[in-house]
């Protein structure tokens, strides 16, 4: 997983426009500051407010590059003024204006978060220009650093969720090739609730699950991780089919934060010796079967999604005969709910099959990557949903019969 890191800003060029908010209750001092700004030769847009209360609206609603702050306002004074402004605009540069007799006020203000301080009566145009430019630069650098830290934390969280949602398959003797992909629906978003897993049981059968928790974000992702781990534990414990889905539903109900959350999933058990696959669909669409003749949707019976009607679900099984060589692809809605290149029309299963039919024969991993790329190209960013794809390829089934 790769994540773009925010770039450290450069010092603004001489021609840059500086949006300055002056908070000063003395009209004479305010006029002197405005004249000094003109003398700097910098391009600026100046807004003046006489109290912190009046400045709140500007800080909340307008982009401000730098605040020039008097430490003696009618409604706040001293370090409290700096703390208040930083709280309202944590990534905006603050330069404090102090009096001639306030030796410690400037250093205390900087300790409270101001980028610099200037002493009234000792400020010249060159000094103000340098202070303003570098205060804005330092403020932007701080912001870039904070964004970089947030990006790192998000990447670490995504990595933890990804390990939970996309574990390594547990395969011992199986010759089935497993290809899996997961993509979150929105750029920089936390992984959603799609999950998948593949396990070879002690009975020699290959068991797989692909599921989709409703919703997006950390709640759905956490529930998806929980269901995926529960599925693996229960399968290794010998639970199968309808009994397994009842237990997964009980876990979903116990772990979900909202009664509106539910999950769809497909359970698949592949028997290499008999050349069959057993399907259980819980509100999920059918897998795709690829043979030498092409790719088609498997016909299978359906059951209700987990958590819709707790305790009343029934999930019939469907036995699918498999060719000696072929592939099964199980996927979530994110692969087919995007647009098909035409305004207002979704890709759907028929569009997906047509797309697969036009793809060149290639390695399974390259095939899945190309398929996802083509669906994203057709969608052109108009629909955003997580997607998970699991493809199982085999050859020479029925060898034991």
């Amino acid at each position: 997983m790769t994540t773009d890191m925010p770039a450290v800003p450069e010092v603004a060029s001489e021609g840059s426009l500086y949006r300055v908010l002056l908070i000063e209750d003395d009209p004479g001092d305010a006029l002197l500051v405005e004249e000094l700004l003109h003398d700097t030769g910098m391009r600026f847009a100046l807004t003046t407010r006489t109290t912190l209360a009046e400045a709140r609206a500007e800080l909340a609603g307008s982009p401000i590059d730098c605040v020039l702050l008097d430490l003696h306002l009618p409604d706040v004074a001293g370090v409290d003024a700096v703390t208040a402004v930083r709280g309202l605009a944590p990534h905006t540069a603050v330069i404090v204006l102090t009096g001639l007799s306030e030796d410690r006020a400037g250093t205390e203000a900087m300790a409270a978060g101001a980028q610099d301080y200037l002493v009234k009566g000792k400020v010249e145009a060159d000094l103000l220009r340098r202070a303003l430019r570098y205060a804005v630069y330092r403020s932007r650098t701080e912001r870039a650093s904070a964004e970089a830290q947030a990006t790192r934390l998000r990447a670490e969280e995504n990595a933890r969720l990804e390990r939970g949602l996309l574990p390594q398959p547990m395969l011992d003797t199986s010759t089935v090739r497993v290809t899996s992909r997961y993509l979150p629906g929105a750029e920089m978003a936390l992984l959603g609730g799609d999950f998948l897993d593949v396990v070879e049981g002690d009975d020699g059968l290959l068991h797989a699950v692909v599921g989709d928790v409703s919703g997006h974000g950390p709640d759905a992702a956490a529930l998806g991780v929980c269901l995926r781990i529960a599925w693996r534990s229960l399968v290794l414990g010998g639970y199968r089919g309808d009994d397994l889905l009842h237990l997964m539903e009980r876990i979903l109900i116990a772990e979900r934060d909202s009664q509106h959350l539910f999950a769809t999933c497909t359970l698949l058990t592949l028997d290499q010796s008999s050349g069959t696959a057993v399907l259980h669909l819980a509100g999920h669409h059918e897998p795709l079967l690829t043979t030498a003749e092409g790719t088609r949707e498997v016909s299978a019976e359906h059951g209700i999604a987990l958590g819709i009607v707790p305790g009343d679900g029934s999930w019939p099984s469907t036995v699918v005969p498999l060719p000696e060589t072929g592939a099964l692809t199980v996927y979530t809605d994110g692969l087919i709910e995007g647009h098909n290149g035409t305004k207002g029309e979704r890709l759907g299963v028929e569009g997906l099959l047509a797309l697969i039919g036009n793809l060149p024969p290639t390695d399974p991993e390259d095939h899945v990557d190309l398929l996802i790329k083509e669906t994203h190209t057709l969608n052109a960013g108009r629909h955003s949903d997580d997607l998970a794809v699991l493809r199982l390829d085999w050859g020479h089934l029925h060898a034991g019969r």
Side-chain angles (χ1 to χ4, degrees), residues 73-107:
L73 300 172
D75 52 352
V76 67
V79 172
D80 290 342
V82 179
T83 303
V85 170
R86 292 287 291 176
L88 292 169
H91 299 300
T92 299
V94 177
I95 298 177
V96 164
L97 304 176
T98 70
L100 291 172
S101 61
E102 298 175 299
D103 294 335
R104 297 181 54 188
T107 55

Side-chain angles (χ1 to χ4, degrees), residues 291-310:
T291 67
E293 288 72 36
T295 299
R296 62 176 176 84
E297 191 176 38
V298 172
S299 179
E301 294 191 66
H302 285 260
I304 194 170
L306 306 181
I308 297 291
V309 186

Side-chain angles (χ1 to χ4, degrees), residues 7 20 75 97 105 133 152-153 256 261 293 318 344:
V20 180
D75 52 352
L97 304 176
R133 289 188 66 204
R152 284 192 292 270
L153 292 175
R256 67 184 178 184
L261 285 178
E293 288 72 36
T318 299

Side-chain angles (χ1 to χ4, degrees), residues 41-336:
M42 304 169 69
R43 294 177 61 237
F44 68 92
L46 178 65
T47 302
T48 302
R49 294 292 182 264
T50 59
T51 65
L52 178 64
E54 292 178 358
R56 287 179 184 273
E58 297 296 331
L59 292 170
S62 304
I64 301 295
D65 294 312
C66 184
V67 175
L68 298 178
L69 176 65
D70 179 34
L71 286 184
H72 298 285
L73 300 172
D75 52 352
V76 67
V79 172
D80 290 342
V82 179
T83 303
V85 170
R86 292 287 291 176
L88 292 169
H91 299 300
T92 299
V94 177
I95 298 177
V96 164
L97 304 176
T98 70
L100 291 172
S101 61
E102 298 175 299
D103 294 335
R104 297 181 54 188
T107 55
E108 290 176 352
M110 292 186 66
Q115 273 72 38
D116 206 343
Y117 71 95
L118 298 173
V119 180
K120 293 180 182 180
K122 292 188 175 182
V123 182
E124 298 179 351
D126 287 343
L127 177 60
L128 178 58
R129 181 174 61 250
R130 289 196 299 271
L132 184 57
R133 289 188 66 204
Y134 283 98
V136 171
Y137 167 72
R138 286 193 291 272
S139 177
R140 291 175 179 174
T141 301
E142 290 172 3
R143 182 172 186 169
S145 178
E147 290 176 349
Q149 176 66 10
T151 299
R152 284 192 292 270
L153 292 175
R154 184 181 295 273
E156 291 171 3
E157 180 68 9
N158 271 354
R160 286 194 293 270
L161 287 170
E162 187 176 34
R163 287 193 295 271
L165 292 165
L166 298 176
Q168 289 295 319
M170 290 182 60
L171 304 178
D172 296 324
T173 62
S174 176
T175 59
V176 174
R177 179 173 178 178
V178 177
T179 302
S180 63
R181 295 291 185 271
Y182 184 102
L183 290 175
E187 185 178 359
M188 292 298 293
L190 286 171
L191 298 178
D194 291 6
F195 59 95
L196 56 84
D197 201 355
V198 179
V199 167
E200 183 180 355
D202 293 337
D203 50 14
L205 303 180
L206 191 71
H207 305 278
V209 63
V210 173
D212 182 0
V213 176
S214 61
H216 305 279
D219 290 341
L223 188 54
V225 171
C226 179
L227 291 176
R228 201 281 305 165
I229 294 173
W231 175 86
R232 175 175 281 203
S233 301
L234 291 168
V235 165
L236 293 176
Y239 289 92
R240 304 288 183 264
D242 199 80
D243 292 338
L244 173 55
L245 288 166
H246 274 295
L247 290 173
M248 289 180 65
E249 183 175 61
R250 288 183 61 185
I251 292 170
L252 181 148
I253 294 168
E255 295 293 334
R256 67 184 178 184
D257 292 330
S258 168
Q259 291 185 348
H260 299 294
L261 285 178
F262 63 90
T264 68
C265 69
T266 292
L267 304 188
L268 186 154
T269 300
L270 194 154
D271 187 341
Q272 298 177 76
S273 63
S274 66
T276 60
V278 179
L279 298 176
H280 291 81
L281 305 182
H284 213 83
H285 41 71
E286 296 90 338
L288 304 179
L289 176 62
T290 299
T291 67
E293 288 72 36
T295 299
R296 62 176 176 84
E297 191 176 38
V298 172
S299 179
E301 294 191 66
H302 285 260
I304 194 170
L306 306 181
I308 297 291
V309 186
D312 292 338
S314 177
W315 300 278
S317 63
T318 299
V319 179
V320 180
L322 301 177
E324 289 194 11
T325 301
L328 277 167
T329 302
V330 191
Y331 56 93
T332 57
D333 288 341
L335 193 63
I336 59 173

